[in-house]
Amino acid sequence: MKTKLFIKNNYILKYIEVIAKKNEKVFCVIDSKIKIDLKQIKQKNLIIFSIQCGEKIKTFNEYKNLSEKLIKSNVNRKSALIAIGGGTLGDLTGFVASTVLRGLDFYLIPTTLLSQVDSSIGGKNGINTIYGKNLLGTFYQPKEVLIDISVLRSLSKKEIKSGYSEIIKHALIKDYSFFCWLEVNTKKLLNLDKPILEKAIYKSIMIKLFYVKKDEKEYLLDNNSRAMLNFGHTIGHAIESHYKYKKFNHGESISIGMIAEAKISNYLGLLSSNELKRILTHFKKYRLKVNDNILKDKRLISKITKDKKNFQNNIIFSLIDKIGSSIFYKKLDKNKVYKILQNI
Ligand SMILES: NC(=O)c1ccc[n+]([C@@H]2O[C@H](COP(=O)([O-])OP(=O)(O)OC[C@H]3O[C@@H](n4cnc5c(N)ncnc54)[C@H](O)[C@@H]3O)[C@@H](O)[C@H]2O)c1
Ligand SMILES: [Zn+2]
């Protein structure tokens, strides 16, 4: 299914009303931190569930709660489900949407910068298990995605920076001139300057869509593979999981992951030391996280090998060979990765 994508401003209430008018019954699942009062919408067919979000909701238990609430409220095949929240709410609700009654019409309104530039695009959803992140989930494209920049005003600086990490990732893997543009404009972007933010969100989405369109299910085995988007995530996911999602948010973890993986790229002779330095300078200038003690710890390696993309002793990385250019899957033995991490 083709997803329709809108980028608008101050449009959320109106948009939900439009969906409510077109559907028999509409379920809205909203992050309790969003300061939008859905009760203003006078449609009687709207049922609202509010959830306190964060990584803790991507569990079996929350999946069960939400699915059963829908079923108890007589959800049917003509019902629509709208998720209004960050990546965690989108991932949980998308998984519910794809499985309840074998699939409900799903609308996504991402409310964090991270979810607007990344998780709302591409149709992946899922929940975590004790063995690692996103191990249960489906590919399920939303019918429509509404990106509304005005909702970001209530977001903390920490969360804005978390989203910025995915933006810089997109530049690092695919677009050198976007990276140069970010070097000049990041301060304005982090201050939510509207034209700069809109351009960065648009550019970022286009890069993500480039890979999703070429390789929706991540089958390709070359530099156009969706796996390129995993740059920083092999290590980043293991860090998140090691700290049980408490010490760092997603963007912070992958920010440390990207620097570690850029250093691995440099160690393997793929990325020049000058370019590595330029990346580090940018991360440090905007106080993105670049390091953590766990990188040198054996426990990190065993976490990495639990990732669904790794097999037995081999760890798979998407690395970069230049700013704006990434290379498909470097397979490294786990002992070698441990050794490299001691030396970078
Ligand atoms: N499915 C995908 O393709 C994909 C891609 C990237 C990341 N992800 C997932 O996304 C998740 C991270 O998403 P996230 O960073 O949006 O986290 P999140 O959903 O936890 O949101 C971060 C925090 O911001 C709050 N919040 C959300 N919108 C707000 C707003 N407008 N104003 C004030 N506060 C608001 C939330 O309550 C939460 O406390 C991770 O679980 C990650 O695995 C998925
Ligand atoms: Zn990510």
Side-chain angles (χ1 to χ4, degrees):
M1 183 176 67
K2 280 233 178 321
T3 302
K4 279 192 194 149
L5 179 77
F6 308 94
I7 303 185
K8 296 214 177 203
N9 213 10
N10 277 318
Y11 185 59
I12 294 179
L13 283 173
K14 180 80 205 142
Y15 180 65
I16 295 174
E17 193 182 333
V18 170
I19 298 172
K21 283 186 175 149
K22 282 199 286 203
N23 289 278
E24 209 176 276
K25 216 174 207 181
V26 174
F27 295 87
C28 288
V29 187
I30 185 164
D31 182 319
S32 57
K33 284 200 194 132
I34 312 289
K35 293 180 179 54
I36 293 176
D37 184 10
L38 298 183
K39 298 213 176 72
Q40 289 178 53
I41 305 170
K42 297 287 173 234
Q43 289 287 131
K44 293 208 172 70
N45 58 341
L46 210 61
I47 298 166
I48 301 161
F49 301 128
S50 173
I51 300 186
Q52 273 190 15
C53 291
E55 200 67 36
K56 63 180 185 298
I57 66 164
K58 288 176 57 172
T59 60
F60 266 127
N61 219 4
E62 292 291 335
Y63 168 77
K64 177 176 184 294
N65 280 344
L66 184 56
S67 311
E68 287 181 349
K69 267 190 197 167
L70 291 170
I71 294 163
K72 196 172 164 201
S73 310
N74 299 319
V75 66
N76 67 43
R77 278 272 173 83
K78 288 186 186 140
S79 308
L81 183 56
I82 311 179
I84 309 135
T88 57
L89 186 81
D91 277 5
L92 170 72
T93 314
F95 188 36
V96 169
S98 75
T99 47
V100 167
L101 306 184
R102 299 207 178 88
L104 301 171
D105 278 355
F106 181 46
Y107 295 81
L108 196 46
I109 306 179
T111 61
T112 59
L113 182 58
L114 187 136
S115 54
Q116 294 192 344
V117 299
D118 192 348
S119 65
S120 64
I121 313 294
K124 279 188 184 178
N125 58 50
I127 57 173
N128 306 326
T129 75
I130 51 164
Y131 300 106
K133 217 173 134 74
N134 300 333
L135 293 181
L136 281 169
T138 61
F139 287 95
Y140 192 67
Q141 297 296 345
K143 204 166 174 177
E144 294 178 4
V145 176
L146 168 68
I147 312 262
D148 189 324
I149 290 170
S150 62
V151 79
L152 300 178
R153 283 194 296 261
S154 54
L155 208 59
S156 67
K157 260 265 140 56
K158 188 178 155 83
E159 294 302 336
I160 298 282
K161 272 198 196 170
S162 178
Y164 180 69
S165 303
E166 300 279 12
I167 294 178
I168 196 77
K169 177 195 80 182
H170 289 142
L172 285 171
I173 61 171
K174 187 78 189 133
D175 193 335
Y176 176 69
S177 62
F178 185 32
F179 181 85
C180 298
W181 182 84
L182 287 169
E183 283 185 315
V184 179
N185 288 296
T186 292
K187 188 164 178 229
K188 284 189 183 160
L189 192 163
L190 295 176
N191 287 325
L192 302 185
D193 177 293
K194 195 166 164 274
I196 298 290
L197 190 60
E198 268 173 2
K199 179 164 173 184
I201 291 175
Y202 180 78
K203 278 265 191 199
S204 222
I205 289 174
M206 286 304 130
I207 294 170
K208 175 132 190 198
L209 278 176
F210 169 87
Y211 293 105
V212 171
K213 278 187 183 156
K214 284 213 156 21
D215 185 25
E216 184 186 352
K217 300 258 165 85
E218 217 167 307
Y219 292 143
L220 281 182
L221 301 173
D222 60 29
N223 289 357
N224 288 328
S225 164
R226 185 172 180 162
M228 312 316 290
L229 295 160
N230 283 331
F231 175 61
H233 284 63
T234 302
I235 290 182
H237 277 164
I239 294 175
E240 281 187 288
S241 173
H242 172 77
Y243 288 118
K244 302 195 165 48
Y245 311 99
K246 291 200 173 95
K247 182 169 178 181
F248 300 119
N249 63 26
H250 181 68
E252 289 170 333
S253 311
I254 65 137
S255 181
I256 299 167
M258 279 189 281
I259 293 299
E261 293 179 20
K263 287 180 176 171
I264 293 174
S265 304
N266 175 253
Y267 185 92
L268 297 174
L270 300 165
L271 179 73
S272 76
S273 298
N274 275 345
E275 293 211 276
L276 173 62
K277 203 169 148 211
R278 189 166 162 194
I279 298 168
L280 255 174
T281 305
H282 184 74
F283 274 56
K284 285 183 179 162
K285 184 167 173 193
Y286 297 102
R287 299 216 164 83
L288 301 181
K289 299 259 183 267
V290 296
N291 209 347
D292 187 74
N293 290 341
I294 193 66
L295 286 174
K296 297 202 187 299
D297 194 313
K298 263 237 150 77
R299 285 173 297 173
L300 189 76
I301 302 292
S302 63
K303 272 285 175 213
I304 298 175
T305 51
K306 293 261 159 47
D307 193 302
K308 59 185 170 306
K309 300 199 167 85
N310 298 317
F311 305 96
Q312 292 161 0
N313 289 335
N314 283 321
I315 298 176
I316 285 167
F317 288 99
S318 299
L319 297 176
I320 50 174
D321 55 355
K322 279 195 214 97
I323 294 175
S325 164
S326 43
I327 36 170
F328 183 69
Y329 277 17
K330 272 277 165 202
K331 214 185 266 175
L332 298 175
D333 177 81
K334 69 175 185 182
N335 296 320
K336 179 155 187 193
V337 176
Y338 180 70
K339 199 183 132 224
I340 298 175
L341 288 173
Q342 304 313 303
N343 289 298
I344 57 174

